[in-house]
Amino acid sequence: MGTPLEKWVDDAARLTKPDRVVYCDGSTAENERIVAEMLREGDSETLNEKTYPNCYLHRSSPNDVARTEHLTFICTPNKDDVGPTNNWMDPGAAKHKIGALFEGAMRGRTMYVVPYIMGPVNSPISKAGVEVTDSPYVVASMRIMSRMGKVALDRIGSSPDFVLGLHSLGDLDPMRRYIAHFPQERLIWSVGSGYGGNALLGKKCFALRIASYMAREQGWMAEHMLILGLESPGGKVTYMGAAFPSACGKTNLAMMVSALEDQGYRVWTVGDDIAWMKVADDGYLHAINPEAGFFGVAPGTGMLTNPNVMGALHKNTIFTNTAMTPDREPWWEGIGSTPPPGLINWKNEKWDTLKGPAAHPNARYTVPAQQSPSISPKWEAPEGVPISAFIFGGRRARVAPLVYEAFDWQHGVFVGATMASETTAAATGNVGVVRRDPMAMLPFCGYNMADYFHHWLEMGTRIPHPPKIFHVNWFRRGADNKFLWPGYGENVRVLKWILERVEGRGAAEETPVGFVPTRNALTLDGLQISPEAIEELLSVNPEDWEDDLADSKQFFDKFGARLPQELREEHDKLSRRLSTEGASLARSG
Ligand code: GTP
Ligand code: SPV
Ligand code: MN
């Protein structure tokens, strides 16, 4: 009796006891009702209807503004299967503990059943999910971020093949907040948070944590990567995937307005946060963007840094925790205008400088992908796009050069596995502390990261034309503590060198860490940057790298014998190359 979906929804309703259950069809009429409900809850308001039609500002609870990694759990029977970098709970114990918080949690509220597809509707790489939630903000956001409603319901039908997600705002008390994943059951339980990555369950919970688990079982990859196409003169487009940790520049790179447009280089956006990839018949790894919208960081986004994003945000957009001008327009630090008198901050107070930033540093916009002027004509291609380069990167004030290329796949996996980055406001906790964040997946890998490294090494043997692997760092600082590299649209200069390397051109110098562009290999015309800055940006300092190696060794040691031997090998090889280099520098110096 009833489909697997209906049965599961009945169970969820028995547990949470909502007043009403609404199956969402994704229609415009339904969205109007959802938005009205969102406005009625009092934490959202309508923005200027002339300049921002169909746009809303949502304010989340001040203690609920970012992902909470310490409250995020992977629940498998065996603790070793989640590894040293994940929080673990026994599935039974988790059901007991978190089940008590779901008990009656939707009393007096509406339970929305949100069926959705991650990925283009007709793509063989796509997957279905269902999120049950009592938050109209989550429903409205999921409608932007995924293919939601009837199209997903039709696909699921009477099949049991979908990822289940149960979400309730609960009482929003961080003491009663849990984001729990049960990968073996394809199940997510999230309670006590209304914030993006904790509450929009199709995104990090499904498309990365559950999907990475499935990908390993099934021989594909789910990665925290943007997907872009770099068009070169003549119109050829080369696709690249780039993994940077949260708030380290994926959206901005994927949507950049190229500084070399007049030379024929242009960037097309396929995705800005997540890539699902499978080996295709042509021997290339093909990537789809499982999402349908962008949940992007607002602060720092302006007409100077990213006109494409700014152009996309003037309609059908939900803003979260931005400030608002007296004209009811969204505002944030870095938007490009001075704060107008009468500005209301993200906490809904009259702002003054003593109150700190007017927008929360992790304020976000949720916008349909097709509104970006840079959206790729291939962004919904069912077969995905063939990936020629992987780019790892992070925020490193020191150590990592602007760009370098790994010697081969195994070395590239080592480069990804030893990535490190300064922490940001995208997660609660300290900001600006360097931590190891392998492949930008530290908070998102749904199983033991040692096994994840194995999977990466294994994939290398299965892809006839594997992507070349690079590492970038837009965030290196000079002695004055300022960024040495202008970033944003100028990053295309680095993409151009990467493209040249992929095509077997591009001048490079071999260093202990990999191939670095020779001093004149980067196209710098039209850019005001001193030769000294370029020198510093491209420099590889053996002493800094020795320190970094000691730190990555400590990180590797956490995994014990489960760490692939190949990574220890690469660590030793780098160590040897550095000491040879250090010795020859000492001789020549
Ligand atoms: P998540 O959505 O959290 O995964 O973040 P993301 O990786 O997409 O980062 P995003 O592009 O939103 O950028 C985060 C912050 O870094 C914003 O404040 C940007 O303005 C800033 N940023 C992005 N690219 C650059 C760059 O090339 N140089 C500098 N200096 N800042 C950048
Ligand atoms: C990130 O933190 O990497 C994000 C935002 O993309 S969230 O959806 O909250 O995870
Ligand atoms: Mn992200």
Side-chain angles (χ1 to χ4, degrees):
M1 296 174 1
T3 63
L5 169 60
E6 286 160 353
K7 273 193 216 137
W8 185 69
V9 170
D10 287 349
D11 288 347
R14 245 191 315 280
L15 176 62
T16 58
K17 303 187 174 53
D19 282 11
R20 280 170 302 279
V21 177
V22 172
Y23 276 74
C24 296
D25 61 18
S27 65
T28 311
E30 175 188 86
N31 189 51
E32 280 166 12
R33 291 195 295 274
I34 304 277
V35 166
E37 191 55 32
M38 181 174 100
L39 295 169
R40 218 177 51 83
E41 300 223 319
D43 47 12
S44 305
E45 47 187 306
T46 306
L47 291 171
N48 189 314
E49 273 149 38
K50 287 214 180 69
T51 51
Y52 284 86
N54 196 29
C55 290
Y56 306 91
L57 169 59
H58 173 78
R59 296 188 188 90
S60 65
S61 165
N63 66 35
D64 186 30
V65 293
R67 283 182 296 101
T68 41
E69 295 178 1
H70 60 296
L71 304 176
T72 301
F73 292 83
I74 309 290
C75 307
T76 53
N78 188 344
K79 184 170 191 218
D80 287 342
D81 289 339
V82 313
T85 59
N86 278 311
N87 301 311
W88 174 81
M89 256 197 272
D90 170 76
K95 294 260 173 80
H96 186 75
K97 185 169 188 169
I98 305 169
L101 301 175
F102 275 119
E103 174 72 46
M106 297 191 190
R107 242 183 222 114
R109 301 178 64 79
T110 301
M111 178 168 127
Y112 299 97
V113 179
V114 182
Y116 62 91
I117 297 173
M118 296 308 287
V121 172
N122 53 353
S123 168
I125 309 177
S126 299
K127 299 204 174 296
V130 176
E131 175 166 357
V132 160
T133 178
D134 56 3
S135 161
Y137 164 76
V138 166
V139 180
S141 301
M142 285 294 286
R143 185 167 179 269
I144 297 174
M145 295 303 295
S146 68
R147 282 85 175 170
M148 183 274 252
K150 185 174 182 304
V151 57
L153 212 50
D154 288 350
R155 167 164 168 160
I156 294 169
S158 57
S159 152
D161 187 16
F162 56 92
V163 170
L164 313 166
L166 175 57
H167 170 253
S168 173
L169 294 170
D171 62 6
L172 294 176
D173 185 333
M175 298 303 288
R176 284 182 290 279
R177 178 177 301 160
Y178 291 94
I179 298 93
H181 305 71
F182 304 85
Q184 288 153 326
E185 297 170 63
R186 313 280 190 253
L187 172 68
I188 304 151
W189 272 14
S190 168
V191 66
S193 171
Y195 169 75
N198 292 339
L200 310 177
L201 301 187
K203 195 171 172 59
K204 295 310 186 5
C205 299
F206 174 178
L208 286 179
R209 297 197 191 94
I210 301 285
S212 63
Y213 185 97
M214 298 168 79
R216 173 166 167 260
E217 282 182 341
Q218 300 165 359
W220 52 283
M221 302 173 90
E223 298 297 330
H224 191 199
M225 284 185 180
L226 67 89
I227 309 161
L228 64 78
L230 177 63
E231 182 178 329
S232 47
K236 185 179 164 209
V237 180
T238 304
Y239 296 92
M240 308 178 179
F244 312 156
S246 302
C248 290
K250 289 182 300 300
T251 302
N252 278 279
L253 190 69
M255 308 235 258
M256 81 154 78
V257 175
S258 157
L260 298 177
E261 203 158 307
D262 55 352
Q263 295 189 25
Y265 292 89
R266 196 183 160 141
V267 169
W268 296 100
T269 314
V270 178
D272 83 319
D273 198 50
I274 300 177
W276 283 359
M277 296 174 282
K278 270 192 178 153
V279 185
D281 294 339
D282 62 5
Y284 283 85
L285 195 59
H286 278 235
I288 63 158
N289 171 11
E291 303 189 277
F294 305 127
F295 182 59
V297 177
T301 308
M303 280 317 280
L304 284 179
T305 56
N306 203 325
N308 273 337
V309 178
M310 292 307 287
L313 298 182
H314 278 271
K315 56 182 183 190
N316 313 321
T317 302
I318 302 174
F319 296 87
T320 302
N321 297 330
T322 65
M324 186 177 76
T325 71
D327 295 335
R328 309 187 65 75
E329 295 189 341
W331 192 92
W332 51 78
E333 281 71 19
I335 197 170
S337 61
T338 49
L343 189 68
I344 304 292
N345 74 3
W346 67 277
K347 290 183 181 163
N348 204 10
E349 304 158 342
K350 245 193 145 140
W351 179 77
D352 61 64
T353 42
L354 296 176
K355 289 207 166 85
H360 187 276
N362 192 39
R364 301 236 169 199
Y365 52 79
T366 310
V367 62
Q370 78 258 11
Q371 283 183 204
S372 173
S374 60
I375 198 73
S376 160
K378 291 268 197 176
W379 87 281
E380 297 196 281
E383 72 284 8
V385 294
I387 300 292
S388 299
F390 276 155
I391 309 171
F392 295 123
R395 283 181 190 263
R396 296 300 301 269
R398 267 161 274 284
V399 188
L402 179 64
V403 58
Y404 62 98
E405 179 191 342
F407 297 119
D408 52 32
W409 181 269
Q410 179 173 305
H411 178 230
V413 175
F414 171 80
V415 168
T418 51
M419 257 172 73
S421 190
E422 293 146 21
T423 51
T424 66
T428 55
N430 291 335
V431 169
V433 183
V434 176
R435 72 168 182 184
R436 313 246 59 115
D437 187 349
M439 285 84 172
M441 283 289 277
L442 183 75
F444 306 119
C445 185
Y447 59 102
N448 191 318
M449 209 129 207
D451 301 345
Y452 171 77
F453 297 147
H454 271 292
H455 181 50
W456 263 84
L457 290 164
E458 229 260 311
M459 286 303 296
T461 65
R462 283 211 244 157
I463 314 169
H465 304 291
K468 284 200 165 193
I469 300 180
F470 298 81
H471 186 284
V472 300
N473 177 22
W474 317 138
F475 300 94
R476 198 156 173 169
R477 292 174 192 262
D480 59 359
N481 211 32
K482 291 204 176 114
F483 291 128
L484 287 160
W485 180 250
Y488 300 102
E490 307 295 348
N491 292 335
V492 73
R493 300 173 190 275
V494 172
L495 297 183
K496 176 173 180 278
W497 182 78
I498 289 175
L499 170 65
E500 288 163 1
R501 293 297 294 172
V502 164
E503 292 181 342
R505 308 178 284 124
E509 179 191 337
E510 189 173 333
T511 76
V513 303
F515 296 110
V516 171
T518 54
R519 294 304 176 259
N520 42 21
L522 292 173
T523 304
L524 297 175
D525 21 313
L527 186 62
Q528 297 289 330
I529 191 165
S530 69
E532 294 75 32
I534 290 294
E535 187 68 32
E536 197 168 343
L537 278 163
L538 296 178
S539 69
V540 173
N541 176 349
E543 271 169 32
D544 288 349
W545 280 90
E546 299 274 7
D547 293 346
D548 203 64
L549 263 182
D551 190 69
S552 56
K553 177 172 188 307
Q554 274 188 7
F555 181 71
F556 279 173
D557 285 347
K558 287 190 192 180
F559 299 95
R562 208 149 165 162
L563 188 84
Q565 193 48 39
E566 291 89 335
L567 294 185
R568 296 236 180 254
E569 235 172 67
E570 289 297 330
H571 193 278
D572 292 346
K573 278 169 34 187
L574 174 54
S575 174
R576 278 200 299 275
R577 288 193 302 263
L578 285 168
S579 41
T580 318
E581 172 90 355
S584 77
L585 280 179
R587 270 196 309 278
S588 66

